[in-house]
C-alpha cells in the first residue's frame, strides 16, 4: 500500500486563498486590514530568512505588514518599550518577536509583555491557559500545532475516538497538539497519549496510534514497523542531515529528514506528511490565520 500524501504546500495554498478572500471582504465592509508587526533584534541569518517569508506572505494577503528591525545590542528596556508601543497601536493586531533573542535579553519577560490579545504566536501564558480550557476560550492556537490539526482535518482523517500518540512534549509542539486533540469538538475528541524520553515502551505506544504525531527532532526515530497499517502519520521533525547542491539554484542547501523513515513508512501508513513540504509550510500560514482572527475579534465578527 502507498499512503496518501498530506502536502503542506497544497494545504497552505488552500488556506492562504481563503484568508486572502476574507481580507478583501473585511476591507470592503469594515475598511480595515490585519496588521502584523515583526520585531527582529539582530541579524541571525535563519531568523532573517524566516522573517522574509513572513513579510512576503503578509503582503500577498493584503495585510498591513510592519517590519521593525533593531540592532543586536538593543537594551531589554527599549525592546519592552517597543512592545508597549505596538500593544497600544490600534492598526496592529498581531505582534511577533522573532526568536532567538540576544543573550542579554530575558526572552520570557519579553514574550510575556505582549498583549495576550495580540499574541498571534499563542505562546503567552494567558493563551496557553485559554488553549487548555478549550472551546470558545481559545483565541490563538500556537501556529505549528494549529497547522498539524488543520492538515489532519483537511486530509479527511477521523479524529473522534481515534488513538492519537504524540512523540515529544515540548511547549511549542508536543504539549499543545496533545491538548488540542483531546478537546471535545470537531477535529479533535481523540484519546491522546504523549510519549517522551521517560517513556518505557515507545514502540508499543506508537503501534497503537491511529494518528501518530512525531515531534522529537531525532532523524528516523520512528521505525516503519512501529506504524499501525493505515495510520495517519504527521512528521513534524526537521533535521539537517547533510548538504547538497540545489538543481534549481546551483547553491548549497541542507538535506532535510524527518523523525520518521518516510520511504518505508509510506508503504504502511494510510496517509503521511513528507519532509520537507509537510508540516513546515503550515506554521506561517497559521500565523496569518491568527492575525486575521485577531482583527475579527476586534471588529466583533469572529
Ligand atoms: P524539543 O523542544 O527538542 O522537544 C523534543 C521532544 O521530543 C522532547 O519532549 C523530548 O523528550 C522528545 N524526544 C527526543 N528524543 C526522544 C526519544 N529518543 N524518544 C522519545 N522522545 C524523545 O523539540 P521541538 O521544538 O518540539 O521540535 C521537534 C522537531 O520538530 C524538531 O525537529 C523541530 O525542528 C521540528 N519543528 C518543526 C516545525 C515546523 O515544521 N514548522 C515547528 C517546530 C518544530 P524529553 O522531554 O523527555 O526530553
Amino acid at each position: 500500500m502507498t499512503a496518501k500524501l498530506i502536502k503542506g504546500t497544497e494545504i497552505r495554498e488552500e488556506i492562504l486563498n481563503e484568508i486572502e478572500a476574507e481580507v478583501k471582504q473585511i476591507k470592503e465592509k469594515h475598511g480595515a486590514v490585519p496588521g502584523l508587526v515583526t520585531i527582529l533584534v539582530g541579524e541571525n541569518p535563519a531568523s532573517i530568512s524566516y522573517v522574509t517569508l513572513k513579510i512576503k506572505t503578509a503582503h500577498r494577503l493584503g495585510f498591513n505588514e510592519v517590519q521593525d528591525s533593531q540592532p543586536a545590542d538593543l537594551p531589554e528596556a527599549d525592546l519592552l518599550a517597543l512592545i508597549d508601543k505596538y500593544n497600544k497601536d490600534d492598526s496592529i493586531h498581531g505582534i511577533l518577536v522573532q526568536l532567538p533573542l540576544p543573550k542579554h535579553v530575558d526572552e520570557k519577560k519579553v514574550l510575556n509583555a505582549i498583549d495576550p490579545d495580540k499574541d498571534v504566536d499563542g505562546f503567552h501564558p494567558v493563551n496557553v491557559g485559554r488553549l487548555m480550557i478549550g472551546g470558545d476560550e481559545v483565541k490563538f492556537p500556537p501556529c505549528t500545532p494549529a497547522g498539524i490539526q488543520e492538515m489532519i482535518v483537511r486530509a479527511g482523517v477521523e479524529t473522534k475516538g481515534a488513538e492519537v500518540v504524540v512523540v515529544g512534549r515540548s511547549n511549542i509542539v508536543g504539549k499543545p497538539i496533545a491538548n488540542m486533540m483531546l478537546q471535545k469538538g470537531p477535529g479533535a475528541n481523540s484519546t491522546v497519549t504523549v510519549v517522551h524520553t521517560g517513556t518505557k515502551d515507545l514502540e508499543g505506544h506508537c503501534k497503537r496510534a491511529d494518528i501518530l504525531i512525531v515531534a522529537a527532532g531525532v532523524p528516523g526515530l520512528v521505525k516503519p514497523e512501529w506504524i499501525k497499517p493505515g495510520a495517519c502519520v504527521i512528521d513534524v521533525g526537521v533535521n539537517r542531515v547533510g548538504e547538497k547542491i540545489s538543481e534549481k539554484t546551483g547553491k548549497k542547501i541542507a538535506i532535510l529528514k524527518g523523525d520518521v523513515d518516510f520511504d518505508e513508512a509510506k508503504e504502511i501508513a494510510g496517509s503521511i506528511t513528507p519532509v520537507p513540504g509537510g508540516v513546515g509550510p503550515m506554521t506561517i500560514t497559521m500565523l496569518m490565520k491568527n492575525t486575521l482572527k485577531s482583527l475579527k475579534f476586534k471588529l466583533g465578527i469572529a
Side-chain angles (χ1 to χ4, degrees):
M1 184 178 86
T2 299
K4 170 184 168 182
L5 268 192
I6 308 176
K7 292 186 189 163
T9 42
E10 284 178 6
I11 298 175
R12 169 183 61 191
E13 285 312 303
E14 270 175 45
I15 298 173
L16 291 181
N17 287 339
E18 289 164 15
I19 297 174
E20 204 172 353
E22 217 179 333
V23 169
K24 267 192 198 134
Q25 270 180 7
I26 293 175
K27 192 176 176 184
E28 275 169 24
K29 216 169 164 188
H30 299 273
V33 295
L36 174 67
V37 61
T38 305
I39 302 173
L40 177 64
V41 184
E43 290 177 352
N44 177 319
S47 295
I48 291 173
S49 67
Y50 191 61
V51 165
T52 307
L53 196 56
K54 273 179 204 160
I55 297 171
K56 203 173 142 200
T57 311
H59 281 164
R60 162 188 165 175
L61 299 174
F63 282 23
N64 166 28
E65 208 287 326
V66 179
Q67 175 54 40
D68 195 330
S69 296
Q70 296 288 333
D73 61 356
L74 181 77
E76 186 183 277
D78 291 8
L79 179 55
L80 292 171
L82 201 59
I83 291 171
D84 188 50
K85 181 185 96 169
Y86 290 119
N87 279 343
K88 291 175 180 149
D89 184 338
D90 282 344
S91 70
I92 295 296
H93 311 98
I95 302 173
L96 204 117
V97 179
Q98 186 62 44
L99 301 180
L101 287 168
K103 288 207 167 52
H104 68 277
V105 178
D106 181 346
E107 217 164 83
K108 210 163 146 189
K109 200 167 165 187
V110 167
L111 293 183
N112 289 356
I114 298 172
D115 177 348
D117 290 342
K118 294 189 179 187
D119 166 45
V120 285
D121 250 344
F123 293 149
H124 192 287
V126 167
N127 285 316
V128 175
R130 287 169 171 163
L131 191 79
M132 186 73 145
I133 296 166
D136 292 345
E137 283 291 326
V138 183
K139 283 206 154 180
F140 308 118
C143 302
T144 302
I148 294 170
Q149 190 178 35
E150 196 78 47
M151 293 180 101
I152 295 170
V153 170
R154 289 187 189 235
V157 175
E158 178 60 88
T159 58
K160 187 180 172 196
E163 289 281 345
V164 171
V165 175
V166 180
V167 184
R169 56 177 163 188
S170 71
N171 288 331
I172 63 164
V173 190
K175 278 188 217 160
I177 188 61
N179 185 51
M180 288 161 78
M181 296 309 292
L182 67 78
Q183 299 291 344
K184 199 167 186 172
N189 223 353
S190 310
T191 303
V192 181
T193 306
V194 183
V195 297
H196 43 77
T197 56
T199 300
K200 280 185 188 146
D201 181 12
L202 197 61
E203 176 177 352
H205 287 290
C206 290
K207 277 181 168 167
R208 282 191 296 105
D210 300 312
I211 300 173
L212 181 60
I213 301 169
V214 192
V218 180
L221 172 69
V222 170
K223 310 289 170 249
E225 61 273 20
W226 297 7
I227 294 167
K228 182 173 170 179
C232 167
V233 179
I234 308 288
D235 189 354
V236 190
V238 180
N239 306 292
R240 287 168 179 260
V241 293
E243 282 184 336
K244 64 177 179 184
I245 302 294
S246 161
E247 283 174 21
K248 264 193 207 162
T249 63
K251 286 184 185 162
K252 249 192 211 170
I253 52 165
I255 301 173
L256 301 178
K257 248 196 104 174
D259 290 350
V260 179
D261 185 340
F262 177 79
D263 288 334
E264 288 191 58
K266 77 176 192 319
E267 300 304 320
I268 303 163
S271 52
I272 189 167
T273 58
V275 177
V279 177
M282 297 299 291
T283 303
I284 290 181
T285 307
M286 300 316 285
L287 176 77
M288 300 299 148
K289 196 165 175 174
N290 275 351
T291 309
L292 170 61
K293 239 175 138 182
S294 181
L295 169 65
K296 286 163 71 181
F297 281 127
K298 197 180 157 220
L299 295 171
I301 55 169

